[in-house]
Amino acid sequence: MAECGASGSGSSGDSLDKSITLPPDEIFRNLENAKRFAIDIGGSLTKLAYYSTVQHKVARVRSFDYSGKDAEQDHEPPYEISVQEEVTARLHFVKFENTYIEACLDFIKDHLVNTDTKVIQATGGGAYKFKDLIEEKLRLRVDKEDVMTCLIKGCNFVLKNIPHEAFVYQKDSDPEFRFQTNHPNIFPYLLVNIGSGVSIVKVETEDRFEWIGGSSIGGGTFWGLGALLTKTKKFDELLHLASKGQHTNVDMLVQDIYGGAHQTLGLSGNLIASSFGKSATADRDFSKEDMAKSLLHMISNDIGQLACLYAKLHCLDRVYFGGFFIRGHPVTMRTITYSINFFSKGEVQALFLRHEGYLGAIGAFLKGAEQDNPNQYSWGENYAGSSGLMSSSPELCPTQRARSGTFDLLEMDRLERPLVNLPLLLDPSSYVPDTVDLTDDSLARKYWLTCFEEALDGVVKRAVASQPGSVDAAERAEKFRQKYWSKLQTLRHQPFAYGTLTVRSLLDTREHCLNEFNFPDPYSKVKQKENGVALKCFPRVIRGLDALGWEDRQLALVKGLLAGNVFDWGAKAVSDVLESDPQFGFEEAKMKLQERPWLVDSYSKWLQRLKGPPHKCALIFADNSGIDVILGVFPFVRELLSRGTEVILACNSGPALNDVTYCESLIVAERIAAMDPVVHSALREERLLLMQTGSSSPCLDLSRLDKGLAVLVRERGADLVVIEGMGRAVHTNYHAALRCESLKLAVIKNSWLAERLGGRLFSVIFKYEVPAE
Amino acid sequence: MGAGRLGVPMERHGRASDTSASSAGEPAPVGPDGRRRELLRCRASSASEPPVGASASAEGVRRSRPGSYSGAPSASRQRVESLRKKRQLFPWFGLDIGGTLVKLVYFEPKDITAEEEEEEVESLKSIRKYLTSNVAYGSTGIRDVHLELKDLTLCGRKGNLHFIRFPTHDMPAFIQMGRDKNFSSLHTVFCATGGGAYKFEQDFLTIGDLQLCKLDELDCLVKGILYIDSVGFNGRSQCYYFENPADAEKCQKLPFDLKNPYPLLLVNIGSGVSILAVYSKDNYKRVTGTSLGGGTFFGLCCLLTGCTTFEEALQMASRGDSTKVDKLVRDIYGGDYERFGLPGWAVASSFGNMMSKEKREAVSKEDLARATLITITNNIGSIARMCALNENINQVVFVGNFLRINTIAMRLLAYALDYWSKGQLKALFSEHEGYFGAVGALLELLKIP
């Protein structure tokens, strides 16, 4: 922790502003290369945005130059691995209370070194007030941006780029947060921004929006009137008062007017007939709590009613709420949701945004960065660097608040390539990648969180081992452990922190944390070794397969796919076996497989299909390196090619566990081609295409796939999708409906999951699906 | 005042036609005096009409109510009819017991014959005398003398219609008075509407020995307003509007001829607010309502300023400056917010300036009262405008006791509706603003459609 403002800024340091401590390793990260600043100063919170580049290590694989060497030497690895520095772009957003603004500006000034930035985009009501301060401290020119334009730009950005951005809030249900899958078309929608007043904006396209109405009864009314009525000065305190009050002491209810008769008349007696109707008397005192509650109801109901009237007039059923009145406060989300449900009779949905507080800053940033075309890229939320929902809510997360003050962070990585839907999804708007929602299923949540906790030691060990030459590997690994451990603890208490909690999000968070501490590919050496071993076995496996009759071969190929899939360092059960018995081989793995009939077994249907005409083009999502891809997938690919089916083999763009990466797949394919004429000619004739998925996750989100892959899938008219492995075919996509035939296969390498599915460890899933005509 | 009934935005269709099939669609005949006469002939011609005083013994009544009736009246109606059949029709009352105020209309017959007078029981005389010779009753009851409708013909009787109000919390005293004055001996029927008709029903019965005939408040409201508009206001127009409402000097209150009343958006601002779309005499629905109504204005004023009466609250408001309390568009943007076409004078945040301690210390009670009035009024205007758009209706009539002596609110509604609708919507007002429910109850008593 560094004393902010004490680092040579020349200021006296005795003001309150100066005495705050900022943990610089957590806040304002990566300032050195920062450029392009934007700031959104609201009534009480400041949001700072900056664009920076992050240097981190990546493991690169490269084929050896075999000329003059004996490639068949036994100890020779199949390719070399080098660790290189890579520069990627990242957006940083920091949110803090206005009290800290001066200290923060000082901190930035001191840490901003080699920037050529001259301008800072500013938005929000406070931009005027702090203009001089910003210009003086940062020596940047302040460019004012329109508040609403920024807000909407920001809103479009998060809706497009952050999965599970929007959620429905249901107070008395478990979970309270219901995250929405991103709709492929986010327009049109209604944005109701509740700041001091209320603005109601209809957003029709990226650039077209219209202010269709508003109301002066908003957050400022709650705050201002609340302060007058209760002598309580702070907004949060007022909300706190409201959460303890009884509005029925202040409001005139239907039952107060009708007596007991409301029941026989079919009226709900608890409905408010007149807000503050009971306070029209001089001879009674009302408690602060009750008045605050009544005020909250009055304002929320009014906003909800107007929002419904506007939604109805413009035929819209999605209304996003934002602004400081909402700002993740459960109590206001609850009353607004109630009001919307009441007035629309359920026809309009009140939606809230996880990053609602950042919209203005994001929009201002995008305005300033238009020349960089940030909207042409896809962006991904970095779980390692983002605080998560409610991080600064004092009621919900006291520990985190104590740790980093009231600072809240969001980091977004610019992805190398734009991501789009797989064109073969049956209904992109209803596609949900994840099979189990751990926010929903508390038993499953507890199991998986514990599972990831228990596996953490092993991951740390492997991370250290992957960088034997590094002096600080142990130290970084320890930091990784702490970071991921604390994420897991946060998720135990707030499963909703990063959207719907899933096995995928737990895995992705771990990858993000590993990357954060420069462990880009802890399995690179393991993969290298396994690829080497498997490549040597390839000819023997092919000879064995070719010796079989057609029907036996088909089963052997499928078993090979499944057996290869047993080799998975990601699953704890398997890594235990592999650690203890490094000689555990392909044949042994086949022996381990469940006998048919499998847990899910549509093999006969598949075999029947194979007797028919060949598929035009198969899209195969590969899983693990080594035996899986080389002895399982490639023979299967080879058979498809022989049938006259084109094959697109899609592998991860970046490393995740021991999954085969796109770069590794290129080398592997090249080595196989050297041994096998079928693969060789297919590669040459582009009947076998190696592509990248755009993902670095052990799971698979078919709604966020590399655009190049999507284009190719459409061009080649893929009519078969093969998804292999537990992460891609069970944790995700198990229920995914496609427009073409699909094959989902996996070996369940987790006894808990196997039991849940009604089977045992190493049970086999073989799911062949043909879409309904 | 009618309750806002925030909670019941269900569709409601008028039931006004269930007693008056024949006359429902016909325009009321216009008498030689130029005013419409409510002729009993209309009622008598309907075969399905329930009996109204058919066997009443009082001469005058029998004379004015020829014809016999048949039909299948509802249970509650049967009770009323059986009461009515006994004899006595006078006194004629209509009662609307709202959340804050009780509204009472009383028909004072001026054509009482000598015979009639002779037969008239003492208590009836005393009631008539008490009501018509006073303008105030007890410490809180008030007769709005200026609203009195003179020489009205009702069920063939000529007389004056009186408008009386008192706070709902004095209801027990009113019931007690009914007991003291021996109302029950008159065997009269009290037609009452508003939530209080239900709430106080038992008290009427046990303390006053009076059986209430409870009526739906929205039915009564719609009936009452259509009737009162049809009879006018002592030769003047009942309905009016404001020209140049924003200009203190040029602002003019002008009569409006509601010759094409349908469709009509009816906004009743009592303690709460009910908004009705009226498509015809018998066809209306409740569109929505809001709990931010007159009760909210007065309640908040009490809390913020310590005032004790509605009049006092309005007085204060008339002297205050709401721009000290509210945050205007120009306070935020320095002028108009052109991007959205928002004028600088528009309120961006009601009470928004009160977020600041210094400004809280700098405002007066009058400023706060004014801001409260502006906030509530603007909000009602805004919801009414949205309802008018959604229902595709362009004339909006604002009624209810919130508007009583409340020119600030009326002018603001007039201006806001005109400005935000770019002249498409017209805000109309009615002289008897808060009494329509009570009038509707009286009409129900007399079975006037």
Side-chain angles (χ1 to χ4, degrees):
Chain A
M1 308 276 266
E3 191 80 13
C4 180
S7 42
S9 67
S11 47
S12 64
D14 55 5
S15 73
L16 177 70
D17 289 359
K18 298 285 168 182
S19 65
I20 61 147
T21 53
L22 298 177
D25 57 331
E26 293 188 37
I27 297 163
F28 300 120
R29 291 161 16 113
N30 204 14
L31 264 179
E32 299 76 21
N33 306 307
K35 57 174 190 170
R36 256 184 235 306
F37 282 84
I39 195 163
D40 172 12
I41 309 177
S44 57
L45 289 178
T46 297
K47 283 77 70 176
L48 185 83
Y50 56 96
Y51 170 92
S52 191
T53 47
V54 199
Q55 276 214 334
H56 52 112
K57 292 188 168 58
V58 287
R60 290 261 178 252
V61 293
R62 204 179 54 173
S63 279
F64 286 118
D65 176 11
Y66 287 105
S67 58
K69 278 193 180 182
D70 180 1
E72 296 304 314
Q73 254 186 296
D74 265 15
H75 60 270
E76 190 80 18
Y79 52 85
E80 68 178 341
I81 303 168
S82 60
V83 173
Q84 294 171 359
E85 291 287 335
E86 192 189 59
V87 176
T88 56
R90 185 174 290 175
L91 285 177
H92 293 262
F93 301 95
V94 187
K95 184 161 73 180
F96 50 86
E97 288 178 14
N98 287 355
T99 340
Y100 302 145
I101 196 164
E102 197 165 350
C104 289
L105 291 175
D106 280 331
F107 185 89
I108 294 163
K109 183 182 71 184
D110 296 338
H111 290 79
L112 194 62
V113 253
N114 43 11
T115 183
D116 49 0
T117 304
K118 301 273 185 289
V119 180
I120 179 165
Q121 260 68 35
T123 185
Y128 275 122
K129 197 170 147 193
F130 292 98
K131 181 171 181 281
D132 293 343
L133 186 71
I134 298 166
E135 293 193 330
E136 174 207 313
K137 294 274 181 194
L138 298 185
R139 306 208 191 297
L140 297 175
R141 195 182 76 238
V142 171
D143 268 7
K144 278 234 7 152
E145 300 291 347
D146 175 69
V147 177
M148 202 52 72
T149 311
C150 291
L151 209 57
I152 285 150
K153 264 190 179 302
C155 192
N156 292 340
F157 186 79
V158 296
L159 286 176
K160 277 190 305 189
N161 286 291
I162 305 189
H164 299 157
E165 176 60 36
F167 61 89
V168 169
Y169 185 79
Q170 298 159 296
K171 174 60 188 166
D172 295 316
S173 70
D174 185 25
E176 294 173 7
F177 300 81
R178 288 249 170 229
F179 295 94
Q180 309 288 298
T181 48
N182 284 25
H183 202 276
N185 184 13
I186 62 171
F187 305 109
Y189 66 85
L190 209 58
L191 178 66
V192 177
N193 192 56
I194 315 174
S196 51
V198 181
S199 286
I200 301 175
V201 182
K202 180 185 181 183
V203 186
E204 283 171 302
T205 67
E206 191 63 56
D207 303 305
R208 203 167 76 232
F209 63 87
E210 185 191 356
W211 187 90
I212 55 170
S215 167
S216 68
I217 299 182
T221 315
F222 179 70
W223 196 344
L225 196 46
L228 288 169
L229 291 172
T230 68
K231 315 283 177 242
T232 304
K233 297 182 189 81
K234 285 196 172 156
F235 182 77
D236 287 0
E237 286 170 19
L238 275 167
L239 278 184
H240 188 63
L241 280 181
S243 66
K244 293 187 296 181
Q246 276 292 336
H247 75 102
T248 52
N249 293 332
V250 183
D251 290 341
M252 186 184 285
L253 309 186
V254 167
Q255 65 191 17
D256 295 322
I257 298 174
Y258 275 78
H262 60 88
Q263 282 154 331
T264 49
L265 291 168
L267 302 176
S268 173
N270 290 325
L271 294 169
I272 306 167
S274 175
S275 295
F276 286 91
K278 278 186 190 147
S279 68
T281 164
D283 44 70
R284 260 186 70 194
D285 282 331
F286 297 91
S287 83
K288 292 178 177 185
E289 288 82 1
D290 294 348
M291 288 189 289
K293 180 62 170 262
S294 177
L295 188 59
L296 177 68
H297 275 298
M298 175 180 109
I299 290 169
S300 302
N301 281 338
D302 192 54
I303 295 170
Q305 181 173 25
L306 280 167
C308 286
L309 286 166
Y310 280 101
K312 187 179 172 197
L313 190 65
H314 293 265
C315 304
L316 296 172
D317 57 3
R318 274 177 297 173
V319 182
Y320 298 100
F321 285 89
F324 81 73
F325 186 71
I326 301 291
R327 208 211 289 156
H329 297 295
V331 61
T332 56
M333 291 195 288
R334 178 188 189 174
T335 50
I336 288 281
T337 301
Y338 174 85
S339 172
I340 288 282
N341 288 340
F342 177 81
F343 283 106
S344 77
K345 301 183 186 86
E347 281 169 20
V348 173
Q349 203 168 36
L351 294 160
F352 305 94
L353 301 169
R354 278 201 289 141
H355 300 101
E356 178 275 307
Y358 289 108
L359 302 185
I362 293 172
F365 173 82
L366 294 173
K367 281 285 279 182
E370 263 159 5
Q371 68 217 63
D372 291 345
N373 292 320
N375 267 325
Q376 285 184 356
Y377 294 91
S378 286
W379 299 78
E381 178 179 16
N382 187 309
Y383 295 134
S386 303
S387 310
L389 192 60
M390 305 267 163
S391 75
S392 58
S393 168
E395 283 149 61
L396 273 155
C397 200
T399 51
Q400 191 162 348
R401 191 178 162 91
R403 195 166 51 80
S404 58
T406 50
F407 288 78
D408 186 276
L409 311 171
L410 165 65
E411 293 183 8
M412 295 189 71
D413 290 317
R414 192 176 80 190
L415 308 176
E416 291 300 306
R417 310 162 70 91
L419 303 181
V420 296
N421 275 312
L422 176 69
L424 296 172
L425 282 176
L426 185 66
D427 176 16
S429 62
S430 67
Y431 168 72
V432 178
D434 305 286
T435 308
V436 179
D437 178 347
L438 300 182
T439 10
D440 215 355
D441 186 335
S442 66
L443 270 181
R445 177 168 76 239
K446 283 191 188 109
Y447 170 78
W448 285 108
L449 283 169
T450 306
C451 188
F452 277 87
E453 279 170 10
E454 285 172 355
L456 188 51
D457 275 342
V459 177
V460 170
K461 237 166 77 187
R462 183 148 303 284
V464 177
S466 72
Q467 296 180 356
S470 163
V471 283
D472 65 345
E475 192 189 324
R476 281 185 286 118
E478 195 46 44
K479 282 186 178 167
F480 154 74
R481 179 210 298 278
Q482 285 172 12
K483 182 118 195 173
Y484 190 54
W485 180 263
S486 89
K487 292 276 171 197
L488 290 174
Q489 300 323 302
T490 302
L491 290 167
R492 258 191 203 281
H493 299 112
Q494 299 159 250
F496 49 78
Y498 298 93
T500 303
L501 184 67
T502 60
V503 174
R504 175 167 66 107
S505 71
L506 286 168
L507 284 164
D508 289 353
T509 305
R510 188 166 74 186
E511 295 301 322
H512 292 176
C513 290
L514 279 167
N515 276 324
E516 202 54 50
F517 295 99
N518 269 320
F519 294 106
D521 193 357
Y523 288 87
S524 56
K525 294 230 155 50
V526 175
K527 291 188 287 183
Q528 181 191 37
K529 185 174 164 223
E530 287 184 7
N531 283 335
V533 171
L535 281 169
K536 286 192 179 64
C537 301
F538 183 79
R540 184 161 47 90
V541 169
I542 291 296
R543 274 198 301 279
L545 286 165
D546 286 349
L548 297 171
W550 183 84
E551 201 149 315
D552 288 345
R553 188 165 71 244
Q554 301 315 313
L555 182 60
L557 282 166
V558 164
K559 278 189 172 173
L561 266 177
L562 292 164
N565 201 246
V566 171
F567 289 84
D568 187 354
W569 287 90
K572 200 168 171 293
V574 178
S575 59
D576 288 348
V577 176
L578 287 170
E579 299 272 2
S580 60
D581 179 14
Q583 298 307 310
F584 182 79
F586 189 51
E587 292 310 316
E588 286 88 336
K590 277 193 191 169
M591 305 281 285
K592 274 227 168 203
L593 284 182
Q594 183 192 18
E595 282 301 315
R596 285 193 68 197
W598 295 320
L599 186 56
V600 174
D601 193 340
S602 37
Y603 176 74
S604 307
K605 200 170 135 197
W606 169 245
L607 185 70
Q608 211 49 44
R609 171 65 185 87
L610 286 179
K611 289 174 182 164
H615 295 91
K616 185 171 184 313
C617 174
L619 166 64
I620 302 179
F621 291 98
D623 186 9
N624 305 321
S625 260
I627 291 175
D628 189 10
V629 67
I630 295 165
L631 303 183
V633 175
F634 266 97
F636 183 77
V637 166
R638 185 175 171 271
E639 181 75 13
L640 285 174
L641 292 168
S642 310
R643 281 169 57 83
T645 302
E646 294 177 347
V647 176
I648 302 169
L649 184 62
C651 301
N652 267 4
S653 298
L657 295 172
N658 64 328
D659 290 5
V660 60
T661 63
Y662 169 67
C663 294
E664 288 159 357
S665 77
L666 290 177
I667 293 171
V668 164
E670 180 191 335
R671 295 293 303 273
I672 289 174
M675 297 182 268
D676 185 280
V678 180
V679 171
H680 182 85
S681 62
L683 275 174
R684 204 186 50 215
E685 292 157 17
E686 294 191 339
R687 282 183 290 111
L688 170 59
L689 297 132
L690 303 179
M691 294 297 288
Q692 52 183 314
T693 58
S695 158
S696 305
S697 165
C699 295
L700 179 65
D701 179 352
L702 296 175
S703 67
R704 281 168 74 82
L705 281 184
D706 186 86
K707 195 173 180 180
L709 175 61
V711 168
L712 189 70
V713 162
R714 195 176 279 130
E715 274 175 13
R716 296 285 168 123
D719 53 357
L720 173 68
V721 173
V722 181
I723 306 175
E724 181 222 4
M726 208 160 74
R728 292 175 182 76
V730 179
H731 290 317
T732 54
N733 298 308
Y734 191 67
H735 302 301
L738 298 173
R739 286 214 309 259
C740 65
E741 290 169 52
S742 64
L743 207 48
K744 295 165 189 169
L745 31 85
V747 177
I748 308 299
K749 290 157 290 189
N750 171 293
S751 52
W752 183 88
L753 183 62
E755 268 175 47
R756 249 214 176 188
L757 295 168
R760 296 201 323 269
L761 193 63
F762 299 115
S763 288
V764 168
I765 302 287
F766 187 95
K767 202 175 179 193
Y768 169 61
E769 290 167 305
V770 181
E773 280 308 312
Chain B
M1 291 194 193
R5 299 239 302 241
L6 173 74
V8 258
M10 64 230 187
E11 297 240 325
R12 298 164 57 105
H13 290 276
R15 288 185 269 106
S17 62
D18 61 359
T19 62
S20 55
S22 71
S23 56
E26 295 168 19
V30 177
D33 57 352
R35 296 225 307 267
R36 289 176 190 185
R37 278 184 293 141
E38 293 301 319
L39 293 185
L40 286 153
R41 159 180 76 72
C42 300
R43 315 201 48 75
S45 66
S46 166
S48 66
E49 269 188 353
V52 177
S55 61
S57 59
E59 277 296 306
V61 175
R62 193 182 293 152
R63 188 187 60 222
S64 63
R65 301 203 150 197
S68 65
Y69 303 88
S70 61
S74 69
S76 69
R77 192 135 292 149
Q78 222 154 18
R79 193 176 61 235
V80 176
E81 299 317 329
S82 68
L83 275 167
R84 228 173 260 183
K85 273 176 207 160
K86 279 188 182 140
R87 62 184 278 274
Q88 188 66 269
L89 265 169
F90 286 131
W92 292 353
F93 285 117
L95 196 58
D96 176 7
I97 311 168
T100 309
L101 282 180
V102 182
K103 284 76 62 176
L104 179 71
V105 294
Y106 167 65
F107 182 79
E108 174 205 4
K110 299 294 268 187
D111 55 357
I112 298 179
T113 59
E115 285 169 77
E116 247 183 312
E117 187 142 12
E118 220 163 274
E119 276 186 27
E120 207 174 34
V121 294
E122 206 42 52
S123 55
L124 184 61
K125 269 190 196 129
S126 114
I127 288 166
R128 189 168 72 232
K129 191 149 183 292
Y130 175 68
L131 290 177
T132 55
S133 60
N134 290 306
V135 293
Y137 315 93
S139 57
T140 54
I142 285 166
R143 180 154 63 89
D144 282 313
V145 184
H146 66 286
L147 293 180
E148 184 176 330
L149 292 179
K150 298 217 165 69
D151 296 328
L152 197 66
T153 307
L154 210 50
C155 284
R157 301 301 302 257
K158 254 188 188 268
N160 297 342
L161 198 56
H162 298 276
F163 297 86
I164 296 161
R165 64 187 148 89
F166 59 89
T168 304
H169 61 70
D170 286 334
M171 209 51 212
F174 177 78
I175 296 171
Q176 189 61 43
M177 186 190 74
R179 181 195 172 102
D180 297 346
K181 294 206 183 283
N182 212 6
F183 262 41
S184 59
S185 69
L186 297 169
H187 301 291
T188 188
V189 174
F190 258 99
C191 275
T193 186
Y198 295 87
K199 187 177 177 180
F200 295 102
E201 182 182 21
Q202 198 57 35
D203 289 351
F204 269 100
L205 198 61
T206 52
I207 302 171
D209 192 24
L210 284 166
Q211 171 100 47
L212 285 191
C213 168
K214 305 189 297 296
L215 300 165
D216 181 274
E217 60 179 292
L218 300 181
D219 285 347
C220 289
L221 175 68
V222 172
K223 244 185 205 193
I225 193 164
L226 293 174
Y227 172 76
I228 290 287
D229 183 66
S230 74
V231 299
F233 184 23
N234 299 328
R236 285 182 283 141
S237 170
Q238 175 65 226
C239 204
Y240 60 93
Y241 71 102
F242 288 94
E243 196 147 280
N244 304 315
D247 190 325
E249 276 163 23
K250 282 195 225 155
C251 177
Q252 256 189 309
K253 177 181 161 182
L254 295 172
F256 185 84
D257 183 4
L258 200 62
K259 54 183 178 294
N260 298 312
Y262 311 114
L264 180 77
L265 199 73
L266 182 56
V267 182
N268 185 38
I269 317 174
S271 309
V273 181
S274 276
I275 299 181
L276 280 59
V278 185
Y279 298 102
S280 78
K281 204 153 163 307
D282 310 311
N283 181 12
Y284 74 87
K285 67 172 183 185
R286 186 176 189 275
V287 179
T288 189
T290 164
S291 70
L292 285 83
T296 315
F297 162 67
F298 184 38
L300 280 175
C301 273
C302 289
L303 293 173
L304 293 171
T305 71
C307 69
T308 53
T309 65
F310 181 70
E311 289 76 3
E312 196 188 343
L314 283 182
Q315 273 293 318
M316 280 184 155
S318 68
R319 296 192 303 266
D321 176 2
S322 63
T323 63
K324 290 194 177 136
V325 180
D326 295 339
K327 193 170 272 202
L328 306 186
V329 168
R330 66 164 179 259
D331 296 333
I332 299 174
Y333 297 101
D336 297 348
Y337 187 20
E338 280 159 22
R339 177 77 182 74
F340 286 161
L342 286 176
W345 53 259
V347 183
S349 172
S350 296
F351 287 84
N353 281 340
M354 298 298 91
M355 291 187 277
S356 130
K357 188 169 177 283
E358 296 74 47
K359 288 181 176 166
R360 278 202 297 277
E361 284 161 0
V363 293
S364 67
K365 288 179 171 182
E366 287 76 10
D367 298 338
L368 292 172
R370 178 76 165 215
T372 309
L373 182 59
I374 302 291
T375 302
I376 300 299
T377 307
N378 267 333
N379 190 61
I380 294 168
S382 180
I383 291 172
R385 184 173 65 87
M386 289 309 296
C387 290
L389 284 173
N390 273 323
E391 301 299 323
N392 203 15
I393 296 176
N394 57 25
Q395 50 188 4
V396 185
V397 179
F398 293 93
V399 298
N401 267 326
F402 171 67
L403 299 175
R404 191 174 64 79
I405 58 166
N406 196 351
T407 321
I408 301 175
M410 286 191 280
R411 281 174 50 189
L412 188 57
L413 285 171
Y415 182 68
L417 228 57
D418 180 73
Y419 181 87
W420 294 110
S421 75
K422 299 187 174 71
Q424 295 300 299
L425 294 177
K426 194 158 199 86
L428 305 171
F429 305 92
S430 202
E431 298 286 355
H432 287 82
E433 55 238 339
Y435 284 105
F436 299 114
V439 171
L442 174 67
L443 297 175
E444 193 61 33
L445 171 76
L446 305 175
K447 294 283 127 212
I448 292 173

